[in-house]
Amino acid sequence: DSGVTQTPKHLITATGQRVTLRCSPRSGDLSVYWYQQSLDQGLQFLIQYYNGEERAKGNILERFSAQQFPDLHSELNLSSLELGDSALYFCASSVEDRGSTDTQYFGPGTRLTVL
Amino acid sequence: ILNVEQSPQSLHVQEGDSTNFTCSFPSSNFYALHWYRWETAKSPEALFVMTLNGDEKKKGRISATLNTKEGYSYLYIKGSQPEDSATYLCAPRRGYQKVTFGIGTKLQVIP
């Protein structure tokens, strides 16, 4: 158990809908990362927040947005969902934001299925 | 985007065999390299962070070396066990640029 929690574990929804995925980092961690893992694809970095501010952006679609709240939990909002958004979404956290040497601790993931 | 290559993509070894695989990355402006272990139905777990050329890290039967000048890292597993079956990911980091993970090497240890 990494100490990172994600809810919900599974989510099934329809195309065109909007969902929110939630992540609570390890106690004391200030940085949160979001990743997408689609079938037969590697981990695709979406976005990173540090202490409430966006730090780095990856291949995140415009239909997706994220934020980190004052209590450091983070939410990933996915809207106008398409079939291709079906994936496993991971959140990870790290203590600081030293950039290169931060070890990330991954949550259990949220499995999103869009029908 | 950092171009990361891992080889081989998959590997089957017999229990007790030793094995190794490679992570290649651009050597310019290198800062650190991370190795993660990802078991099926679980989430990735950090193995090592390596920063210096010639660095060698060890954790039990797993070790890793780093060559920053030529841009590669090797991960070695001595005497593979079925519980070593997992996908091994590498992620070179260069400052605050977005994180790039390799596609991974999927290791299957046959009892």
Side-chain angles (χ1 to χ4, degrees), chain B residues 36-102:
Chain B
Y36 287 83
R37 182 170 176 273
W38 191 3
E39 287 181 72
T40 304
K42 294 189 177 179
S43 35
E45 264 183 61
L47 279 174
F48 306 117
V49 180
M50 309 177 79
T51 55
L52 300 174
N53 186 41
D55 215 358
E56 182 169 339
K57 299 272 176 144
K58 193 172 178 183
K59 194 174 188 176
R61 294 176 292 96
I62 304 178
S63 60
T65 59
L66 179 67
N67 184 324
T68 59
K69 292 182 180 175
E70 294 182 37
Y72 65 83
S73 176
Y74 291 141
L75 190 84
Y76 299 92
I77 302 180
K78 188 177 174 182
S80 305
Q81 299 296 308
E83 57 265 31
D84 296 328
S85 297
T87 297
Y88 292 84
L89 303 172
C90 70
R93 296 293 303 272
R94 191 161 65 186
Y96 292 96
Q97 287 191 6
K98 60 183 184 180
V99 184
T100 305
F101 278 87

Side-chain angles (χ1 to χ4, degrees), chain A residues 26-53:
Chain A
R26 292 186 324 156
S27 177
D29 283 2
L30 298 176
S31 206
V32 169
Y33 306 75
W34 284 99
Y35 294 90
Q36 179 193 57
Q37 195 228 349
S38 305
L39 199 63
D40 294 334
Q41 299 249 335
L43 279 174
Q44 300 295 316
F45 171 68
L46 295 177
I47 198 161
Q48 179 201 354
Y49 279 84
Y50 172 72
N51 206 17
E53 291 188 7

